Amino acid sequence: MNNKFNDLLWCEFYKINRKHTIIKLVAAILVIVLALTVLSAVLKELLGDVAGSLVDGNGSYDERIAALKAEMQAVQELSNWTDKLIIGNTIGSYKAKIAVLEFLKAHNYALGGVTNFSQNDGMMFFKFNFFSFTQACMSVLMSVVIIFLIVACCKSVNGEYSSGAMKMQLMRPISKNKFFTAKWLSVVVIAEAMTLLSFALSFILGLILHGPVANNVAFVAGNAVTVVSPIAALIIDLLLNMIKVFAFTQATMFLCFLCNSYGKAIVLALLMIVFDFGTYIEYLLALPYVGYLAFFANANWASGISVDAPIFKGMTIWVMIPVTMIWCAFFMWFSYRKFNKKEV
């Protein structure tokens, strides 16, 4: 039985790589990383130390805390009930930044010696150290990996169903559960491997280009702040990206079974996952607790431990984790159920 499953799994790997897809994906990742490396080197040469003054901020801890509190109060006074539910006005981000500054001040950290962990820091590419470079590269490369897993899932399920290839395979005495597991596992394994490869290339080139020196990194969950080394922070970021790949694979499989055709499935998956329409829908609903229960809001665990703060007010990483796991379990249950009932 194990041999049969192994054969199924290798067959799925072969189908994904039938047109040298994996080699092309690796080549694309390498080209993107090299392009970002060249861009970073040019910007470093042009801007030098000027970029540091643009991103580090000015003033003492007390002055920064007072300025952030004043900004937060002004935003709160202008906000309506929707703004108080949704953290589009960055109230949560203000609170996270204040908590980090108060922690650093209380523990006598040198001013400017610690970097906030942020998943949406548009200036991180200009900080010119291996931590910021690796994180910036990963933010770009993760979009490539996620697009790959969406296409692979949709081809594996909807593409084979539409073409009739699935019918031919299921004429053999194969368990549908094992058949689906092989399809799902092949996509997950390749996507996770590409995530690891992206990280390794970004990290190595970042060290070569910028050297081994970088600030420690502060993570914040509510009012709890932890400062870790830059390498430890990158490992945490890598794990979060791998979790995102796993969760988005489950979500894509679910979306595939909502549509019968390959075209509809891939368009829906791209809109919901890559272009983040799932989160925009949650914005539009603007209902109490929708953020606590919705998949897309909770799947982004990085926001739960960064100064960007979760999307919806009141969410914490400790709620986001179990909610995401429940959604993933539902997606897999639904996918297996639909696949077993699928008429081929």
mmCIF file of all heavy atoms in Angstrom, residues 3 34 68 71 89 155 176 212 222 230 236 272 287:
data_model
loop_
_atom_site.group_PDB
_atom_site.id
_atom_site.type_symbol
_atom_site.label_atom_id
_atom_site.label_comp_id
_atom_site.label_asym_id
_atom_site.label_seq_id
_atom_site.Cartn_x
_atom_site.Cartn_y
_atom_site.Cartn_z
ATOM 1 N N ASN A 3 3.874 1.475 -1.180
ATOM 2 C CA ASN A 3 4.484 1.607 -2.493
ATOM 3 C C ASN A 3 3.535 2.265 -3.479
ATOM 4 O O ASN A 3 3.941 3.066 -4.320
ATOM 5 C CB ASN A 3 4.927 0.249 -3.018
ATOM 6 C CG ASN A 3 6.130 -0.304 -2.261
ATOM 7 O OD1 ASN A 3 6.896 0.466 -1.685
ATOM 8 N ND2 ASN A 3 6.285 -1.621 -2.266
ATOM 9 N N LEU A 34 18.866 38.064 -7.705
ATOM 10 C CA LEU A 34 20.042 38.756 -8.249
ATOM 11 C C LEU A 34 19.689 40.194 -8.646
ATOM 12 O O LEU A 34 20.485 41.120 -8.424
ATOM 13 C CB LEU A 34 20.591 37.989 -9.447
ATOM 14 C CG LEU A 34 21.275 36.655 -9.123
ATOM 15 C CD1 LEU A 34 21.658 35.927 -10.415
ATOM 16 C CD2 LEU A 34 22.507 36.868 -8.245
ATOM 17 N N LEU A 68 4.075 59.862 19.193
ATOM 18 C CA LEU A 68 3.179 58.789 18.747
ATOM 19 C C LEU A 68 1.835 58.849 19.473
ATOM 20 O O LEU A 68 0.777 58.641 18.862
ATOM 21 C CB LEU A 68 3.840 57.430 18.981
ATOM 22 C CG LEU A 68 4.963 57.040 18.013
ATOM 23 C CD1 LEU A 68 5.645 55.763 18.490
ATOM 24 C CD2 LEU A 68 4.430 56.858 16.601
ATOM 25 N N GLU A 71 -0.212 61.669 17.955
ATOM 26 C CA GLU A 71 -0.748 61.274 16.647
ATOM 27 C C GLU A 71 -1.914 60.307 16.815
ATOM 28 O O GLU A 71 -2.940 60.425 16.139
ATOM 29 C CB GLU A 71 0.348 60.627 15.813
ATOM 30 C CG GLU A 71 1.400 61.581 15.298
ATOM 31 C CD GLU A 71 2.459 60.860 14.484
ATOM 32 O OE1 GLU A 71 2.119 59.826 13.870
ATOM 33 O OE2 GLU A 71 3.618 61.315 14.468
ATOM 34 N N ASN A 89 -6.760 52.728 10.266
ATOM 35 C CA ASN A 89 -6.208 54.002 10.745
ATOM 36 C C ASN A 89 -4.960 53.796 11.603
ATOM 37 O O ASN A 89 -4.485 54.745 12.235
ATOM 38 C CB ASN A 89 -7.275 54.757 11.546
ATOM 39 C CG ASN A 89 -7.852 53.893 12.668
ATOM 40 O OD1 ASN A 89 -7.171 53.008 13.188
ATOM 41 N ND2 ASN A 89 -9.094 54.127 13.030
ATOM 42 N N LYS A 155 -4.312 23.341 -11.601
ATOM 43 C CA LYS A 155 -4.035 22.373 -12.673
ATOM 44 C C LYS A 155 -4.239 20.949 -12.193
ATOM 45 O O LYS A 155 -4.776 20.105 -12.915
ATOM 46 C CB LYS A 155 -2.598 22.559 -13.172
ATOM 47 C CG LYS A 155 -2.420 23.699 -14.162
ATOM 48 C CD LYS A 155 -1.033 23.665 -14.773
ATOM 49 C CE LYS A 155 -0.907 24.716 -15.870
ATOM 50 N NZ LYS A 155 0.437 24.695 -16.495
ATOM 51 N N LYS A 176 -9.487 7.210 -3.448
ATOM 52 C CA LYS A 176 -9.593 8.643 -3.737
ATOM 53 C C LYS A 176 -8.893 9.487 -2.676
ATOM 54 O O LYS A 176 -8.318 10.533 -2.990
ATOM 55 C CB LYS A 176 -11.063 9.051 -3.846
ATOM 56 C CG LYS A 176 -11.706 8.696 -5.178
ATOM 57 C CD LYS A 176 -13.074 9.348 -5.303
ATOM 58 C CE LYS A 176 -13.653 9.139 -6.689
ATOM 59 N NZ LYS A 176 -14.968 9.804 -6.855
ATOM 60 N N PRO A 212 27.798 40.904 7.974
ATOM 61 C CA PRO A 212 27.068 40.175 9.020
ATOM 62 C C PRO A 212 26.505 41.046 10.146
ATOM 63 O O PRO A 212 26.047 40.525 11.152
ATOM 64 C CB PRO A 212 28.141 39.230 9.572
ATOM 65 C CG PRO A 212 29.413 40.013 9.410
ATOM 66 C CD PRO A 212 29.258 40.829 8.164
ATOM 67 N N GLY A 222 0.595 42.490 21.441
ATOM 68 C CA GLY A 222 -0.105 43.267 22.452
ATOM 69 C C GLY A 222 0.879 44.193 23.135
ATOM 70 O O GLY A 222 1.514 45.037 22.500
ATOM 71 N N PRO A 230 19.127 39.281 14.922
ATOM 72 C CA PRO A 230 18.569 39.358 13.558
ATOM 73 C C PRO A 230 18.431 37.995 12.897
ATOM 74 O O PRO A 230 17.479 37.772 12.141
ATOM 75 C CB PRO A 230 19.573 40.257 12.824
ATOM 76 C CG PRO A 230 20.813 40.243 13.644
ATOM 77 C CD PRO A 230 20.360 40.076 15.062
ATOM 78 N N ILE A 236 12.316 33.135 12.455
ATOM 79 C CA ILE A 236 10.895 33.275 12.800
ATOM 80 C C ILE A 236 10.095 33.710 11.576
ATOM 81 O O ILE A 236 9.009 33.178 11.295
ATOM 82 C CB ILE A 236 10.725 34.287 13.951
ATOM 83 C CG1 ILE A 236 11.327 33.727 15.240
ATOM 84 C CG2 ILE A 236 9.244 34.638 14.154
ATOM 85 C CD1 ILE A 236 11.402 34.736 16.374
ATOM 86 N N MET A 272 -8.623 36.228 -4.549
ATOM 87 C CA MET A 272 -8.804 36.105 -3.108
ATOM 88 C C MET A 272 -7.483 36.095 -2.351
ATOM 89 O O MET A 272 -7.387 36.655 -1.254
ATOM 90 C CB MET A 272 -9.579 34.822 -2.790
ATOM 91 C CG MET A 272 -10.997 34.808 -3.320
ATOM 92 S SD MET A 272 -12.063 36.043 -2.552
ATOM 93 C CE MET A 272 -12.304 35.294 -0.951
ATOM 94 N N LEU A 287 -18.470 44.117 10.221
ATOM 95 C CA LEU A 287 -19.332 43.618 11.276
ATOM 96 C C LEU A 287 -18.504 43.292 12.517
ATOM 97 O O LEU A 287 -17.347 42.871 12.399
ATOM 98 C CB LEU A 287 -20.065 42.350 10.814
ATOM 99 C CG LEU A 287 -20.993 42.507 9.606
ATOM 100 C CD1 LEU A 287 -21.465 41.143 9.151
ATOM 101 C CD2 LEU A 287 -22.163 43.404 9.958
#
